Structure formats: C-alpha cells, structure tokens
Amino acid sequence: MNPKIAKADEEVQKLISKKRNKSVEDRRVGSEIFDKQTLETLYKLANQGYINILNGAISTGKEANVLKGVIDDSYVAVKIYRIATSDFKKMQYYIQGDPRFNIRSNNKRKLITSWVNKEFRNLKRALEAGVNVPKPIVALNNVLILEFIGSNDGNPSQTVKNQKPKDVDDFLNKLLLEMKKFINEANLIHGDLSTFNILNHNENPVIIDVSQSVVRDHPIANELLVRDVKNVYGEFKKLGSSYSLDEIVNKLEIDINLD
Ligand SMILES: Nc1ncnc2c1ncn2[C@@H]1O[C@H](COP(=O)(O)OP(=O)(O)OP(=O)(O)O)[C@@H](O)[C@H]1O
Ligand SMILES: [Mg+2]
C-alpha cells in the first residue's frame, strides 16, 4: 500500500479507537495527510458504517484525492476534495448560475460542501435517467462516497485516456447513447467531458467527475455543450474513430450551433 495512504488510514483508525474509548483528553487530531475536519468527516463516515478502512489511492488529482474504501467485503470510491487547492472562483461561477444552489458564499468550506452536494445530485439525476455513472452513496462536507467502478477484487477501471477501447467506434457509439441520456433526459451538460473523465469498464463507458456539470438552462450550458461535443469528437478521432462531427451531433439528437 502507498505509505501515505497507510498513514492516512492509520490516522482515521486511531481516531476511531480514540473516540470509541472515549479518551477525550486528546481531541487534537494531528494529521499529516488530511486537515482535521477531513479526518473528522472520514471518522463520521466510518462510524456510520459507510467505510471500514481506506485501502490505497486510486488517483491524486489537482483538487481531489480518490481513495479506495473497504466496506465489509466490497469496495467504494472515496473522493476527498482538498480545501487548500480547490478552485473557488470556478466553484462560485458554476454554482451561482445553478437555480438549485442559491448561495453566494465566500466561505470556502461551505462552497466545497455545495460543490460536493452538486456532484452527488448530478450523479443521482444522471442515474435516474439511466446513464452509466457511479451510484452516489453519501456526501458529507468535502467527502463524497461513490460506487467503486472496477473488478470485484478491487482493481479500479482505467480512464479511456489510459486504456484505449478495443473497438473505438463501438465504444464511441455506446458513449453517445450515454451522453444522449445525460443531455436529453437528465437535462445536464457535463462541462468537462474528455477521455480523462470516462472510464473504460470492461469496454463499456462510465461517465465520471460531474461536479461542474450544469443544468441545461444554466447561462453557460450551451458553451459547455459545444466544447464537450467537440472534445469527444476530437479525442476519439485521434483514437481512430471514423465518426464525423455531424454524425455525432445527429446521434445525440441535439440542436447546437458548432460555429
Ligand atoms: N467511482 C470510481 N470508481 C473507480 N475509480 C474512480 C471512481 N471515481 C473516480 N475514479 C478515479 O479517480 C480519478 C479522479 O476522479 P475524478 O475525475 O472524479 O476527480 P477529479 O475531479 O478529476 O480530480 P482533479 O480535478 O483533482 O484532477 C479518475 O480518473 C478515476 O481514475
Ligand atoms: Mg477528472
């Protein structure tokens, strides 16, 4: 196991046993990996039965770490937003145009909590529209727990960026069906759709990373939609797809101005 994650898990376990033993004399939880609130949040989630232990890093990104959590004999994905490195300007901008979140806060923690809730709600909405996304399990403060996409023995599925589909056109065709539901039935625009945010799960696409996704009547929705469609076209073309941009737009059954 990655030593940093082993250390993080050790810290969470220590906190759990400390609280269980009610030894209140040391409430100062020193963490080298997470800030105190994150550690407390993980502790709460463990105590509520969402995770037993943290077992390894899946990804360390710009703004979030995704860890593997173990619960009984299965896995979950634990996405932890780092307070210090989050892009608050972007968060504010995306949240302000969203009628579901009527907050105008400069409080960083509150903003991250809204951001995490937004990702949770977007996933739920996509799932209800039948889109292949990880099922959201729980959101608390800066932590989001999701269905783990991978093998039963704990190997996470890779992004399309890292694992090229065997049959690119067939994969793209499946992806377009997922995108069509995402756009036309969930009424959401992803906003950061690329081969980094699509998992290749046994040659089936799973769309992830929907925190920035916006409702279709958001002021920037059209701009984001055009960007997403062009990205998907360009990246899959590089992978060897034979689809034209027009064919993609037709398959999505959307009406957009690409100029
Ligand atoms: N549910 C999941 N199951 C398995 N792996 C996952 C899951 N969710 C995310 N991952 C892995 O973690 C990586 C990062 O996740 P995600 O794209 O949601 O975060 P991110 O917002 O891109 O992070 P950052 O913005 O900090 O770069 C993904 O590329 C994928 O490899
Ligand atoms: Mg991502």
Side-chain angles (χ1 to χ4, degrees):
M1 199 196 292
N2 172 327
K4 274 196 166 177
I5 302 303
K7 178 79 185 149
D9 186 56
E10 199 185 294
E11 286 169 351
V12 174
Q13 298 304 329
K14 221 190 274 169
L15 189 60
I16 291 172
S17 65
K18 216 177 256 172
K19 296 226 173 177
R20 285 219 176 106
N21 298 335
K22 292 202 167 56
S23 58
V24 281
E25 76 272 15
D26 189 9
R27 294 272 302 170
R28 293 169 295 111
V29 182
S31 171
E32 287 167 26
I33 313 295
F34 299 121
D35 63 288
K36 183 172 179 232
Q37 195 214 13
T38 301
L39 208 52
E40 291 273 357
T41 302
L42 289 168
Y43 157 73
K44 266 191 203 151
L45 290 166
N47 222 21
Q48 290 168 7
Y50 289 105
I51 38 173
N52 297 141
I53 54 168
L54 295 168
N55 180 352
I58 302 176
S59 147
T60 306
K62 276 189 319 303
E63 295 178 78
N65 294 4
V66 179
L67 310 185
K68 198 159 71 172
V70 182
I71 174 72
D72 303 330
D73 51 6
S74 61
Y75 298 98
V76 287
V78 185
K79 185 168 179 178
I80 304 172
Y81 282 89
R82 288 189 305 271
I83 315 281
T85 56
S86 290
D87 183 347
F88 300 103
K89 285 269 174 302
K90 175 176 131 195
M91 289 183 178
Q92 260 168 337
Y93 183 65
Y94 279 71
I95 283 179
Q96 274 169 12
D98 192 322
R100 297 172 299 173
F101 296 91
N102 194 14
I103 67 151
R104 284 183 183 276
S105 179
N106 286 319
N107 179 308
K108 290 184 176 185
R109 286 188 192 278
K110 274 196 191 152
L111 205 55
I112 291 202
T113 299
S114 299
W115 193 250
V116 171
N117 281 327
K118 187 152 112 77
E119 183 160 15
F120 184 95
R121 287 175 62 170
N122 285 342
L123 285 170
K124 194 155 167 273
R125 190 160 155 157
L127 198 69
E128 282 164 3
V131 187
N132 233 345
V133 292
K135 182 179 189 295
I137 299 168
V138 66
L140 184 62
N141 302 325
N142 58 327
V143 178
L144 176 64
I145 299 189
L146 307 167
E147 176 190 0
F148 173 76
I149 307 297
S151 65
N152 289 339
D153 58 359
N155 275 324
S157 296
Q158 297 297 302
T159 62
V160 172
K161 183 79 193 168
N162 285 338
Q163 193 181 330
K164 187 182 156 181
K166 291 197 178 104
D167 181 336
V168 176
D169 273 344
D170 179 61
F171 191 92
L172 176 55
N173 198 36
K174 290 181 198 160
L175 174 65
L176 294 174
L177 288 174
E178 298 308 315
M179 284 172 67
K180 189 170 101 179
K181 289 182 274 181
F182 198 91
I183 300 165
N184 296 328
E185 281 164 52
N187 274 306
L188 288 170
I189 307 299
H190 189 286
D192 192 16
L193 203 56
S194 78
T195 48
F196 285 99
N197 285 330
I198 302 162
L199 299 180
N200 180 350
H201 181 55
N202 306 324
E203 300 302 318
N204 288 304
V206 180
I207 296 176
I208 61 163
D209 205 0
V210 301
S211 58
Q212 73 293 316
S213 301
V214 297
V215 285
R216 242 182 131 173
D217 52 5
H218 191 287
I220 56 170
N222 271 335
E223 189 188 314
L224 295 179
L225 176 60
V226 171
R227 195 174 71 187
D228 280 353
V229 170
K230 285 186 172 168
N231 265 352
V232 166
Y233 162 71
E235 292 191 338
F236 277 82
K237 192 181 163 75
K238 273 192 205 138
L239 293 178
S241 141
S242 64
Y243 277 80
S244 71
L245 189 52
D246 280 348
E247 280 170 325
I248 288 178
V249 172
N250 283 340
K251 286 240 176 200
L252 292 175
E253 294 176 17
I254 49 172
D255 192 13
I256 51 168
N257 180 3
L258 292 165
D259 305 329

